[in-house]
């Protein structure tokens, strides 16, 4: 265990910055979604990428306890963005 106040190891820094980049990318995608909506071609490209090429249609069930159902993928994505729970899956 590291002493409090000491710098991270090289491996710890790699992990730290990897998670920051992922969250920053997710928040950027959320900003695009908020600005342009789900019908924007760039947002749709991101949604397709996240879902192996196809945006799920119809109701969406998620891993979120207490909020398992969304009317569509767009509503689910907006929910993730507003709650900053970027990596919750359907």
């Amino acid at each position: 265990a590291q002493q409090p106040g000491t710098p991270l190891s090289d491996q710890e820094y790699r992990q730290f910055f990897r998670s920051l980049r992922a969250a920053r990318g997710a928040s950027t995608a959320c900003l695009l979604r908020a600005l342009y909506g789900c019908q924007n071609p760039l947002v749709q490209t991101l949604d397709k990428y996240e879902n192996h090429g196809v945006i799920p249609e119809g109701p969406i069930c998620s891993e979120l306890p207490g909020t398992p159902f969304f009317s569509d993928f767009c509503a689910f994505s907006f929910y993730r963005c507003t709650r900053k729970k970027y990596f919750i899956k359907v």
Side-chain angles (χ1 to χ4, degrees), residues 6-83:
T6 60
L8 299 175
S9 68
D10 289 347
Q11 181 179 354
E12 290 169 326
Y13 266 122
R14 280 192 293 280
Q15 182 62 34
F16 175 73
F17 285 113
R18 185 177 303 129
S19 64
L20 285 180
R21 281 193 300 271
R24 187 177 67 217
S27 66
T28 299
C30 285
L31 178 60
L32 290 172
R33 186 176 300 283
L35 289 172
Y36 302 113
C38 293
Q39 300 309 313
N40 179 273
L42 177 57
V43 172
Q44 287 185 343
T45 298
L46 294 172
D47 289 350
K48 287 178 183 177
Y49 179 80
E50 181 179 355
N51 292 286
H52 295 101
V54 177
I55 299 171
E57 292 183 20
I60 300 294
C61 294
S62 76
E63 296 177 346
L64 290 166
T67 314
F69 176 81
F70 296 90
S71 59
D72 57 22
F73 189 77
C74 183
F76 170 69
S77 295
F78 271 116
Y79 180 87
R80 286 191 311 191
C81 288
T82 58
R83 303 283 191 212

